[in-house]
Amino acid sequence: MTHFKPDFARDPRMFDANASGSSDLGDLPEWDLTDLYPAPDAKEIKRDQDWLEESCRTFAADYEGNLASLEAEDFLDAVRRYEKIDTVAGRLMSYAGLRYYQHTTDPKRAQFLSDMQDRVTTFTTPLVFFGLEFNRLSDEHVENLLAASAELARYRPVLERMRAMRPYQLSDELEKFLHDQSVVGASAWNKLFDETIAGLTFTVDGEELNIEGTLNLLSEQDRAKREAAARELARVFKENVGLFARVHNTLAKEKEVEDRWRGMPSPQTARHLSNHVEPEVVEALRDAVVEAYPRLSHRYYALKAKWLGLDTMEVWDRNAPLPMESERIVPWDEAESTVMDAYTAFDARMTDLAKPFFKEGWIDAGVKEGKAPGAFAHPTVTTVHPYIMLNYLGKPRDVMTLAHELGHGVHQVLAAGQGELLASTPLTLAETASVFGEMLTFRKLLDQAKDQQERKVLLAGKVEDMINTVVRQIAFYDFEVKLHDARAKGELTPDDINALWMSVQGESLGPVFNFMDGYETFWAYVPHFVHSPFYVYAYAFGDGLVNALYAVYEEQGEAFKDKYFDMLKAGGSKHHKELLAPFGLDASDPAFWAKGLSMIEGMIDELEQMES
């Protein structure tokens, strides 16, 4: 069933440097959640909870033990009823979750979310039988059902994803136990992590900051300020590293136990199944990126060290602006027009799809006390609309984050036409529209660059974003692989986890870096490791895919656009092979990833040529 998990759309830049406050930003939009429910005590919430409880009960009464005897039309009715239940449960959880992420340290909001999770989990427990019983039907029986009803056959992708779990399915009783137990398992540890991160305070030069404001200082021009922020982050993380290690130990062990009972061949298997992507495709991506480290991050950061006048870069220099880069704050209105102009230049349909986000209260942009860090786009349910969360404070990268999350939002609006069960896009494809939106915005700005210096700053910024999206995320993926493998052998101390973290840092970033004491704890605040194990490779997948797609766009022009919109409208109704075929692309071809990485190399080539 649906559970509120906005993390699938979090922007990878949140790991590195986000924003801090400024009074020059203009009026920042806030969410209007009344499209979901008028208020937390609204009668509509009680109405939907009562409906959900009764609908789950009658669904089980009508179908449990009877799936094998259903004709195609009756099975279609069951799927549609399940879909309506999924929609109502998703609406309730979206409202509770979005309110919580606006102010994670508000105990009333946390209580409301916990109570809603408890109720929705309890109400939906009777539905656990559906997937289990369906998976006990023979392949021949399922094919006969699909052949008998074109409307039912439309749900084939959803049913196939359910069937993919057949080898790993437990008994009905155990599956129901895991469903009920989830509210005090991973989701409880996730909330502890979120509340702890949101409640951390950092003092830099006498100013007390939250994690957003402190991370932002890592991209300040003043090198002393960057160092002070990095050392304060390390100090606070070290003070809390025991708690973060406990969270990681518990979640990794819980996952290992469940994977072992299910017979999953690796800790990554569940993620690959949910992403509908083959393990060998992910490994081809991972290997291609690791092999390219010297040509990408190592080469770029050596170049950046030269620009900064440094022989050795410290970790607080990685996201430093270039010496010639403007420190101008970008007001919200300018950020909006920049992104909207880029979207409009691509296709007017993008403008129409994006406009309501700015006009109808679908974006929450400001940094506020207790607000969750980073940025995400959450689709809610297909009968409402998505919501975007930012922590916008005027850095050029924040403009790109807006372009990224707005791309998710446009994708989610287009895919909603598929209905609740088919709209959800696997993570590997969910990043397509977001990264493409960034690329449109970047290309628009690059075309408008007034001189070589402005072009250089733009190119360098884009290369850094791509390194954060590709190189850093694959390094994070390798860290997770090592973490879960090590945890399977026993409890990990904070020092053990620190060592695993450092084992991927030098390899991925290159020999120009020195790593300060304390940097070994910086794994502690990355939310994806907690919320969505092995999520991070989806960013690299999406970036490589978009680089290849953009090359096709440059070749095909107008002929590309309708195919692009058709791909977004498909949501989760097609496999990546089907979606990419109209563009002549195939992610299972090792050369595919080389094509995407070559675009990053080409930008670094141009930057090097500017130096000669």
Side-chain angles (χ1 to χ4, degrees), residues 28-36 98 102 354-365 385-389:
L28 295 174
E30 293 190 1
W31 281 334
D32 176 2
L33 298 181
T34 58
D35 288 346
L36 289 164
L98 290 169
Q102 280 183 301
K355 195 175 296 180
F357 285 88
F358 297 98
K359 305 302 181 189
E360 305 295 335
W362 299 4
I363 299 176
D364 196 297
H385 57 75
Y387 284 91
I388 288 172
M389 193 194 83

Side-chain angles (χ1 to χ4, degrees), residues 256-504:
E256 185 273 328
V257 170
E258 183 172 335
D259 286 351
R260 175 159 39 85
W261 275 73
R262 292 189 181 282
M264 296 274 185
S266 77
Q268 302 94 286
T269 298
R271 177 63 60 200
H272 298 336
L273 288 170
S274 68
N275 284 347
H276 211 203
V277 66
E278 301 75 16
E280 57 270 21
V281 171
V282 177
E283 286 310 299
L285 163 64
R286 181 263 172 204
D287 292 347
V289 174
V290 171
E291 193 270 333
Y293 283 169
R295 305 193 306 276
L296 301 178
S297 47
H298 296 192
R299 188 160 62 115
Y300 173 75
Y301 286 129
L303 194 58
K304 185 169 185 176
K306 180 180 175 183
W307 294 333
L308 295 174
L310 301 171
D311 294 325
T312 300
M313 286 176 68
E314 300 289 343
V315 293
W316 55 79
D317 299 316
R318 189 171 61 80
N319 284 310
L322 303 188
M324 72 290 292
E325 192 170 330
S326 169
E327 293 188 72
R328 186 178 73 89
I329 294 296
V330 182
W332 176 256
D333 287 350
E334 183 181 334
E336 177 183 342
S337 62
T338 297
V339 176
M340 288 294 280
D341 287 350
Y343 276 35
T344 302
F346 173 69
D347 195 292
R349 286 173 285 183
M350 293 278 274
T351 315
D352 295 337
L353 291 161
K355 195 175 296 180
F357 285 88
F358 297 98
K359 305 302 181 189
E360 305 295 335
W362 299 4
I363 299 176
D364 196 297
V367 174
K368 290 169 277 191
E369 182 183 353
K371 184 176 176 181
F376 63 70
H378 178 55
T380 71
V381 288
T382 55
T383 53
V384 188
H385 57 75
Y387 284 91
I388 288 172
M389 193 194 83
L390 305 170
N391 279 276
Y392 184 85
L393 292 147
K395 292 287 180 101
R397 284 181 177 180
D398 296 333
V399 180
M400 286 298 177
T401 299
L402 172 60
H404 181 104
E405 301 304 342
L406 195 61
H408 277 304
V410 166
H411 192 177
Q412 290 159 0
V413 169
L414 285 168
Q418 294 289 342
E420 196 66 27
L421 295 180
L422 286 166
S424 181
T425 308
L427 294 179
T428 43
L429 297 170
E431 294 300 325
T432 305
S434 55
V435 181
F436 196 83
E438 282 189 76
M439 185 66 81
L440 291 174
T441 305
F442 164 71
R443 292 292 182 182
K444 181 80 171 173
L445 292 171
L446 197 65
D447 289 344
Q448 295 172 347
K450 297 187 294 290
D451 51 38
Q452 279 289 88
Q453 180 167 296
E454 186 175 337
R455 183 177 179 87
K456 178 179 179 179
V457 169
L458 285 167
L459 275 172
K462 185 60 178 171
V463 168
E464 291 199 18
D465 284 345
M466 286 175 151
I467 288 173
N468 283 338
T469 308
V470 178
V471 169
R472 291 280 283 165
Q473 304 311 311
I474 291 301
F476 287 177
Y477 175 70
D478 280 353
F479 165 72
E480 283 193 276
V481 171
K482 291 182 177 186
L483 175 73
H484 284 263
D485 286 349
R487 182 63 182 94
K489 299 178 178 71
E491 175 87 4
L492 300 176
T493 67
D495 286 344
D496 292 333
I497 303 176
N498 292 348
L500 296 175
W501 173 255
M502 294 307 298
S503 73
V504 302

Side-chain angles (χ1 to χ4, degrees), residues 119-131:
R119 289 173 193 146
V120 169
T121 300
T122 300
F123 297 160
T124 56
T125 296
L127 303 185
V128 173
F129 84 91
F130 185 68

Side-chain angles (χ1 to χ4, degrees), residues 6 127 170 232 272 428 437 528 546 564:
L127 303 185
L170 300 174
E232 177 66 358
H272 298 336
T428 43
H528 294 61
V546 166
Y564 178 71

Side-chain angles (χ1 to χ4, degrees), residues 51-235:
W51 181 91
L52 182 64
E53 183 176 23
E54 177 64 11
S55 296
C56 292
R57 187 192 65 76
T58 56
F59 185 93
D62 290 345
Y63 296 116
E64 188 165 10
N66 299 324
L67 291 190
S69 63
L70 295 181
E71 298 294 333
E73 288 306 311
D74 294 328
F75 197 91
L76 175 61
D77 286 343
V79 171
R80 286 172 170 165
R81 284 174 63 178
Y82 188 100
E83 187 166 39
K84 176 69 182 298
I85 288 169
D86 205 47
T87 302
V88 174
R91 189 179 192 129
L92 289 164
M93 288 309 304
S94 290
Y95 180 70
L98 290 169
R99 285 187 73 249
Y100 170 74
Y101 274 85
Q102 280 183 301
H103 197 168
T104 62
T105 54
D106 178 354
K108 289 190 179 298
R109 295 185 186 220
Q111 180 186 43
F112 184 81
L113 174 59
S114 292
D115 288 347
M116 192 63 71
Q117 283 178 322
D118 288 347
R119 289 173 193 146
V120 169
T121 300
T122 300
F123 297 160
T124 56
T125 296
L127 303 185
V128 173
F129 84 91
F130 185 68
L132 304 174
E133 196 169 317
F134 173 71
N135 281 348
R136 286 197 287 269
L137 300 178
S138 69
D139 290 339
E140 181 183 9
H141 186 93
V142 172
E143 286 303 320
N144 288 338
L145 287 172
L146 296 175
S149 168
E151 272 297 292
L152 182 59
R154 199 175 73 82
Y155 290 95
R156 177 186 286 274
V158 177
L159 301 176
E160 286 182 346
R161 284 197 279 275
M162 288 170 63
R163 302 285 278 183
M165 284 299 296
R166 287 174 79 190
Y168 314 113
Q169 194 166 284
L170 300 174
S171 70
D172 292 13
E173 188 175 34
L174 274 174
E175 293 288 358
K176 287 178 181 177
F177 167 76
L178 289 173
H179 181 84
D180 280 351
Q181 184 263 352
S182 64
V183 295
V184 291
S187 66
W189 289 95
N190 289 345
K191 278 187 287 189
L192 173 64
F193 172 84
D194 290 337
E195 290 163 9
T196 302
I197 285 290
L200 295 178
T201 56
F202 306 82
T203 304
V204 182
D205 294 344
E207 183 181 4
E208 190 171 283
L209 301 166
N210 64 7
I211 193 167
E212 286 286 345
T214 313
L215 287 169
N216 175 68
L217 296 178
L218 297 179
S219 59
E220 287 289 312
Q221 280 282 8
D222 183 346
R223 192 175 189 225
K225 180 80 77 173
R226 296 198 306 269
E227 178 179 358
R231 294 198 182 280
E232 177 66 358
L233 286 164
R235 182 189 71 79

